[in-house]
PDB file of all heavy atoms in Angstrom:
ATOM      1  N   VAL B 121      11.413  29.494 -14.862  1.00 97.00           N
ATOM      2  CA  VAL B 121      11.122  30.919 -14.807  1.00 97.00           C
ATOM      3  C   VAL B 121      10.416  31.173 -13.480  1.00 97.00           C
ATOM      4  O   VAL B 121       9.303  30.703 -13.252  1.00 97.00           O
ATOM      5  CB  VAL B 121      10.245  31.362 -15.993  1.00 97.00           C
ATOM      6  CG1 VAL B 121       9.929  32.849 -15.883  1.00 97.00           C
ATOM      7  CG2 VAL B 121      10.942  31.052 -17.309  1.00 97.00           C
ATOM      8  N   GLU B 122      11.081  31.900 -12.605  1.00 97.00           N
ATOM      9  CA  GLU B 122      10.536  32.123 -11.264  1.00 97.00           C
ATOM     10  C   GLU B 122       9.662  33.377 -11.206  1.00 97.00           C
ATOM     11  O   GLU B 122       8.646  33.410 -10.527  1.00 97.00           O
ATOM     12  CB  GLU B 122      11.677  32.254 -10.255  1.00 97.00           C
ATOM     13  CG  GLU B 122      12.350  30.933  -9.942  1.00 97.00           C
ATOM     14  CD  GLU B 122      11.391  29.923  -9.327  1.00 97.00           C
ATOM     15  OE1 GLU B 122      10.676  30.292  -8.385  1.00 97.00           O
ATOM     16  OE2 GLU B 122      11.332  28.777  -9.811  1.00 97.00           O
ATOM     17  N   GLU B 123      10.117  34.427 -11.891  1.00 97.00           N
ATOM     18  CA  GLU B 123       9.394  35.698 -11.900  1.00 97.00           C
ATOM     19  C   GLU B 123       9.376  36.229 -13.316  1.00 97.00           C
ATOM     20  O   GLU B 123      10.274  35.925 -14.105  1.00 97.00           O
ATOM     21  CB  GLU B 123      10.078  36.739 -10.997  1.00 97.00           C
ATOM     22  CG  GLU B 123      10.277  36.321  -9.551  1.00 97.00           C
ATOM     23  CD  GLU B 123       8.995  36.292  -8.741  1.00 97.00           C
ATOM     24  OE1 GLU B 123       8.054  37.056  -9.078  1.00 97.00           O
ATOM     25  OE2 GLU B 123       8.916  35.483  -7.796  1.00 97.00           O
ATOM     26  N   GLY B 124       8.397  37.048 -13.624  1.00 98.00           N
ATOM     27  CA  GLY B 124       8.343  37.673 -14.935  1.00 98.00           C
ATOM     28  C   GLY B 124       6.934  37.684 -15.480  1.00 98.00           C
ATOM     29  O   GLY B 124       5.968  37.558 -14.738  1.00 98.00           O
ATOM     30  N   SER B 125       6.841  37.803 -16.817  1.00 98.00           N
ATOM     31  CA  SER B 125       5.535  37.857 -17.464  1.00 98.00           C
ATOM     32  C   SER B 125       5.560  37.056 -18.747  1.00 98.00           C
ATOM     33  O   SER B 125       6.623  36.775 -19.290  1.00 98.00           O
ATOM     34  CB  SER B 125       5.166  39.298 -17.836  1.00 98.00           C
ATOM     35  OG  SER B 125       5.145  40.105 -16.705  1.00 98.00           O
ATOM     36  N   MET B 126       4.364  36.709 -19.190  1.00 98.00           N
ATOM     37  CA  MET B 126       4.199  36.108 -20.510  1.00 98.00           C
ATOM     38  C   MET B 126       3.171  36.954 -21.253  1.00 98.00           C
ATOM     39  O   MET B 126       2.090  37.223 -20.731  1.00 98.00           O
ATOM     40  CB  MET B 126       3.700  34.666 -20.385  1.00 98.00           C
ATOM     41  CG  MET B 126       4.699  33.747 -19.686  1.00 98.00           C
ATOM     42  SD  MET B 126       4.132  32.041 -19.590  1.00 98.00           S
ATOM     43  CE  MET B 126       2.812  32.181 -18.377  1.00 98.00           C
ATOM     44  N   VAL B 127       3.541  37.373 -22.461  1.00 98.00           N
ATOM     45  CA  VAL B 127       2.701  38.312 -23.203  1.00 98.00           C
ATOM     46  C   VAL B 127       2.159  37.629 -24.454  1.00 98.00           C
ATOM     47  O   VAL B 127       2.904  36.990 -25.204  1.00 98.00           O
ATOM     48  CB  VAL B 127       3.513  39.561 -23.603  1.00 98.00           C
ATOM     49  CG1 VAL B 127       2.620  40.578 -24.310  1.00 98.00           C
ATOM     50  CG2 VAL B 127       4.172  40.176 -22.374  1.00 98.00           C
ATOM     51  N   CYS B 128       0.863  37.803 -24.688  1.00 98.00           N
ATOM     52  CA  CYS B 128       0.251  37.217 -25.883  1.00 98.00           C
ATOM     53  C   CYS B 128       0.738  37.954 -27.125  1.00 98.00           C
ATOM     54  O   CYS B 128       0.656  39.188 -27.181  1.00 98.00           O
ATOM     55  CB  CYS B 128      -1.270  37.303 -25.788  1.00 98.00           C
ATOM     56  SG  CYS B 128      -2.071  36.769 -27.315  1.00 98.00           S
ATOM     57  N   PRO B 129       1.232  37.230 -28.125  1.00 97.00           N
ATOM     58  CA  PRO B 129       1.715  37.894 -29.338  1.00 97.00           C
ATOM     59  C   PRO B 129       0.590  38.545 -30.135  1.00 97.00           C
ATOM     60  O   PRO B 129       0.831  39.439 -30.943  1.00 97.00           O
ATOM     61  CB  PRO B 129       2.352  36.757 -30.143  1.00 97.00           C
ATOM     62  CG  PRO B 129       1.742  35.502 -29.612  1.00 97.00           C
ATOM     63  CD  PRO B 129       1.383  35.776 -28.178  1.00 97.00           C
ATOM     64  N   ASN B 130      -0.636  38.118 -29.899  1.00 97.00           N
ATOM     65  CA  ASN B 130      -1.768  38.661 -30.650  1.00 97.00           C
ATOM     66  C   ASN B 130      -2.405  39.851 -29.938  1.00 97.00           C
ATOM     67  O   ASN B 130      -2.362  40.975 -30.434  1.00 97.00           O
ATOM     68  CB  ASN B 130      -2.804  37.552 -30.867  1.00 97.00           C
ATOM     69  CG  ASN B 130      -3.989  38.035 -31.679  1.00 97.00           C
ATOM     70  OD1 ASN B 130      -3.823  38.746 -32.663  1.00 97.00           O
ATOM     71  ND2 ASN B 130      -5.178  37.661 -31.253  1.00 97.00           N
ATOM     72  N   CYS B 131      -2.971  39.611 -28.741  1.00 96.00           N
ATOM     73  CA  CYS B 131      -3.750  40.675 -28.072  1.00 96.00           C
ATOM     74  C   CYS B 131      -2.937  41.429 -27.025  1.00 96.00           C
ATOM     75  O   CYS B 131      -3.453  42.361 -26.402  1.00 96.00           O
ATOM     76  CB  CYS B 131      -5.021  40.104 -27.460  1.00 96.00           C
ATOM     77  SG  CYS B 131      -4.756  39.163 -25.938  1.00 96.00           S
ATOM     78  N   GLN B 132      -1.673  41.004 -26.809  1.00 97.00           N
ATOM     79  CA  GLN B 132      -0.778  41.677 -25.853  1.00 97.00           C
ATOM     80  C   GLN B 132      -1.207  41.529 -24.400  1.00 97.00           C
ATOM     81  O   GLN B 132      -0.699  42.234 -23.524  1.00 97.00           O
ATOM     82  CB  GLN B 132      -0.616  43.193 -26.192  1.00 97.00           C
ATOM     83  CG  GLN B 132      -0.228  43.482 -27.622  1.00 97.00           C
ATOM     84  CD  GLN B 132       1.124  42.874 -27.988  1.00 97.00           C
ATOM     85  OE1 GLN B 132       2.077  42.957 -27.236  1.00 97.00           O
ATOM     86  NE2 GLN B 132       1.194  42.218 -29.135  1.00 97.00           N
TER      87      GLN B 132
END
Side-chain angles (χ1 to χ4, degrees):
Chain B
V121 178
E122 286 299 312
E123 304 288 332
S125 301
M126 296 182 289
V127 183
C128 173
N130 182 43
C131 75
Q132 308 299 316

